[in-house]
Amino acid sequence: MASFILLLIFVHVIGSLSTVAPDEAQPLPCNSCCQGPAGIPGVPGSAGIPGSNGLPGRDGLRGEMGLKGEVGMPGPIGERGPPGPQGPAGERGDRGLQGVPGKVGPKGAHGHAGADGQPGADGQSGVDGQPGPAGPKGSQGDMPQIQKSAFSVFKTSSQTGNINDVLAFEYVETNIGSDFNIATDKFTCEFAGTYVFMFTVFSTRNNHDPGVQLVKDDAVITMTNTHEVDESSTNNLRSASNTAIVQLAVGNQMWLRFAYRNGETVHGGSNKYTSFSGFLLYAE
């Protein structure tokens, strides 16, 4: 726009110069002596033909940034775009509240019988009923054989013996099963099982405190002796006892024998102080 205005001013000046009166434009003849007064200006001529456009001027300096304009009115809503791809599955939400039960449906067809269940626990016993009538008497059965074995023997006379001599007994009080042999003074097991054996030995002060062993097939089970604890005692008799529970097999033998020293004496008499007893506790 500024270039165009400058162009119009340039054209106007050029036009003004071209409207000078011919008389003023012509030089005075050479033979003129002096110049007369200027004449009245003529009427301005008509505008000339516009000249061609001049060259473009240089770009002006960049102006300062204007103030931010006010926010315009929202534009119209655009058309709905195509659906986007399906996103990943979200986390499972909390279980919702139970809904209201629906109406009862029609009764279904009768199903097949299921497998038998486990037997239930036993119920409480009922009240005892009235006794029934007595049945006929049965035939007599075989009585089981009761295994019995027991003995008890005593000395009625004193005996002096050496180490390992068998203690002899002269009086038999009990011999159930005849398992004690009075000739050998040994008990022989007839029924395998557990047996109890007891023995008591008496001596006098002059008999050097004899010792006696309970033996099973030459193996010592236990023993005792008649040592006097109180040496100041005036009692002439001394005694000692012992008991053992022994498991025996058929054929095992049990007996009493002398121990410690040779020449010891075990007292015996009519009072039967010295004794040897045993019995079957239970059979196998």
Side-chain angles (χ1 to χ4, degrees):
M1 179 62 73
S3 299
F4 180 72
I5 294 173
L6 291 173
L7 180 62
L8 290 179
I9 295 172
F10 178 78
V11 173
H12 179 70
V13 171
I14 297 299
S16 300
L17 292 178
S18 63
T19 58
V20 177
D23 294 337
E24 294 177 354
Q26 297 292 330
L28 293 175
C30 296
N31 55 3
S32 297
C33 296
C34 58
Q35 185 174 354
I40 300 170
V43 179
S46 61
I49 300 172
S52 60
N53 293 334
L55 297 174
R58 296 180 180 178
D59 294 339
L61 298 176
R62 184 174 180 179
E64 296 180 359
M65 181 180 292
L67 299 176
K68 184 177 181 180
E70 298 180 357
V71 179
M73 298 297 292
I77 299 175
E79 296 181 358
R80 184 171 183 176
Q86 184 176 358
E91 296 182 358
R92 185 173 182 177
D94 297 334
R95 185 186 182 97
L97 299 176
Q98 185 174 358
V100 180
K103 296 181 180 180
V104 178
K107 184 176 181 180
H110 190 68
H112 299 291
D116 294 338
Q118 297 293 329
D122 294 339
Q124 296 180 352
S125 301
V127 180
D128 293 340
Q130 296 295 325
K137 185 177 181 179
S139 58
Q140 184 175 358
D142 296 332
M143 293 292 293
Q145 183 180 1
I146 299 176
Q147 297 172 335
K148 298 179 181 180
S149 179
F151 72 94
S152 186
V153 295
F154 299 88
K155 284 192 70 64
T156 58
S157 62
S158 298
Q159 178 183 354
T160 301
N162 297 324
I163 296 175
N164 294 335
D165 283 350
V166 178
L167 190 63
F169 294 90
E170 298 80 29
Y171 181 80
V172 177
E173 179 66 34
T174 304
N175 194 10
I176 299 174
S178 301
D179 295 331
F180 187 86
N181 188 339
I182 195 66
T184 61
D185 295 298
K186 295 182 179 181
F187 170 83
T188 302
C189 176
E190 182 182 358
F191 307 110
T194 302
Y195 289 77
V196 178
F197 294 96
M198 300 164 287
F199 60 99
T200 300
V201 177
F202 267 74
S203 68
T204 62
R205 187 182 294 269
N206 300 325
N207 295 145
H208 306 294
D209 304 327
V212 174
Q213 296 173 336
L214 175 65
V215 180
K216 171 188 173 183
D217 294 340
D218 275 333
V220 177
I221 300 299
T222 186
M223 67 174 298
T224 188
N225 68 349
T226 60
H227 178 70
E228 179 64 55
V229 177
D230 185 5
E231 295 294 342
S232 63
S233 174
T234 59
N235 188 359
N236 190 43
L237 292 177
R238 300 175 180 181
S239 67
S241 299
N242 213 333
T243 302
I245 299 175
V246 185
Q247 190 171 11
L248 298 180
V250 175
N252 288 151
Q253 289 187 319
M254 300 289 295
W255 68 89
L256 298 179
R257 71 184 182 187
F258 284 89
Y260 291 154
R261 295 179 296 270
N262 294 331
E264 294 182 340
T265 301
V266 173
H267 178 72
S270 59
N271 290 328
K272 306 172 186 175
Y273 290 132
T274 301
S275 65
F276 182 30
S277 302
F279 62 91
L280 174 63
L281 184 62
Y282 61 86
E284 293 182 353

